[in-house]
Amino acid sequence: QGPGQERKRPDLPKPAITRNYYEILEVQMESPAQDIKSSFRKLVKELHPDVNPDKNPAELQKYLEVTTAYEVISDPLLRAQYDLRWNVSQNLASEADIGQYADLRSQEAAEVAVRARSSATAANRMADAAKKERKVEVDKAKAESGGTAARAEARSRRTELRELRRRASQLRDWAQWAEKEARQARKEAAAWNGDDFFG
């Protein structure tokens, strides 16, 4: 940077989800927790893995948005922080406002990423446990009643196992996306609030 040149101000932090979380969940900002939960369940049903087996990008993005929005709005503390962040974002009148917004967004994104990874890990464990249980039951049926019974047992467990695998896959997608978002938010918050910029 040459003498007399101004340092370039960092770009305003822009989250991947730019719509209001309440809008995504199809509720009002003042909606009670039960209404939010009901709306989330309805939306999740529409986004069931069987509806989007090929991971259509638009539908996957909608799933990521709905899941993230509910993870935040369903938690009283995160909801309060989000409401503050959203209100700040509507009137970014100073560097202090933008710094506060960047910090709030970074904190929120980091918490969502932790929860997403935890959910994905739990789902993977459930799928693995179901796979092992299926093998045990199939082997037991085969030993007691022969191959025909074993095949019937395998078929009876197939749907459940497939559902668990798809759910785990969805949650892995969410975790990867949330972790990427958290890294970006952390980087942008550092750019706005770090000594490197403001000196």
Side-chain angles (χ1 to χ4, degrees), residues 44-123:
V44 165
K45 189 175 181 179
E46 295 172 1
L47 296 168
H48 191 279
D50 284 340
V51 178
N52 187 31
D54 298 323
K55 294 187 180 180
N56 176 277
E59 290 300 311
L60 179 57
Q61 179 64 25
K62 186 176 180 182
Y63 163 75
L64 294 172
E65 291 184 353
V66 167
T67 305
T68 299
Y70 184 72
E71 190 67 37
V72 173
I73 301 304
S74 64
D75 182 285
L77 179 58
L78 288 182
R79 182 177 183 177
Q81 291 176 341
Y82 171 77
D83 289 349
L84 175 60
R85 175 168 77 83
W86 180 260
N87 289 330
V88 169
S89 74
Q90 302 308 293
N91 184 31
L92 296 173
S94 68
E95 290 177 350
D97 290 336
I98 297 173
Q100 181 186 25
Y101 169 83
D103 281 342
L104 289 168
R105 182 192 160 218
S106 179
Q107 293 166 15
E108 175 193 299
E111 179 62 25
V112 169
V114 168
R115 295 182 182 203
R117 178 53 62 188
S118 177
S119 295
T121 299

Side-chain angles (χ1 to χ4, degrees), residues 21-28 31 39 42-43 46 62:
Y21 283 177
Y22 295 98
E23 176 187 339
I24 290 171
L25 293 170
E26 299 180 1
V27 295
Q28 301 300 313
S31 294
S39 184
K42 176 180 73 70
L43 291 168
E46 295 172 1
K62 186 176 180 182

Side-chain angles (χ1 to χ4, degrees):
Q1 179 177 305
Q5 290 182 329
E6 293 185 3
R7 282 181 292 178
K8 185 178 182 299
R9 187 184 302 275
D11 292 334
L12 180 67
K14 295 178 181 178
I17 300 177
T18 55
R19 288 194 298 149
N20 186 306
Y21 283 177
Y22 295 98
E23 176 187 339
I24 290 171
L25 293 170
E26 299 180 1
V27 295
Q28 301 300 313
M29 204 164 187
E30 62 276 8
S31 294
Q34 187 56 48
D35 290 354
I36 294 171
K37 185 175 184 178
S38 296
S39 184
F40 170 71
R41 285 180 171 176
K42 176 180 73 70
L43 291 168
V44 165
K45 189 175 181 179
E46 295 172 1
L47 296 168
H48 191 279
D50 284 340
V51 178
N52 187 31
D54 298 323
K55 294 187 180 180
N56 176 277
E59 290 300 311
L60 179 57
Q61 179 64 25
K62 186 176 180 182
Y63 163 75
L64 294 172
E65 291 184 353
V66 167
T67 305
T68 299
Y70 184 72
E71 190 67 37
V72 173
I73 301 304
S74 64
D75 182 285
L77 179 58
L78 288 182
R79 182 177 183 177
Q81 291 176 341
Y82 171 77
D83 289 349
L84 175 60
R85 175 168 77 83
W86 180 260
N87 289 330
V88 169
S89 74
Q90 302 308 293
N91 184 31
L92 296 173
S94 68
E95 290 177 350
D97 290 336
I98 297 173
Q100 181 186 25
Y101 169 83
D103 281 342
L104 289 168
R105 182 192 160 218
S106 179
Q107 293 166 15
E108 175 193 299
E111 179 62 25
V112 169
V114 168
R115 295 182 182 203
R117 178 53 62 188
S118 177
S119 295
T121 299
N124 283 333
R125 287 175 178 167
M126 285 183 64
D128 288 343
K131 182 178 179 181
K132 291 177 182 177
E133 183 181 350
R134 179 191 185 214
K135 185 178 186 308
V136 169
E137 293 299 324
V138 169
D139 289 346
K140 180 180 177 181
K142 185 175 183 180
E144 293 178 353
S145 306
T148 301
R151 286 191 293 273
E153 180 65 30
R155 285 194 298 271
S156 71
R157 298 269 182 162
R158 190 174 299 150
T159 300
E160 175 192 4
L161 186 56
R162 183 170 60 241
E163 166 62 20
L164 288 171
R165 284 173 174 167
R166 286 180 176 175
R167 178 60 177 160
S169 177
Q170 264 194 329
L171 289 170
R172 285 195 299 272
D173 288 337
W174 179 41
Q176 290 169 5
W177 180 87
E179 287 167 349
K180 180 180 178 181
E181 181 73 355
R183 287 194 297 272
Q184 181 65 20
R186 185 168 59 248
K187 178 180 177 181
E188 290 168 344
W192 268 102
N193 298 312
D195 292 337
D196 181 59
F197 178 71
F198 290 110

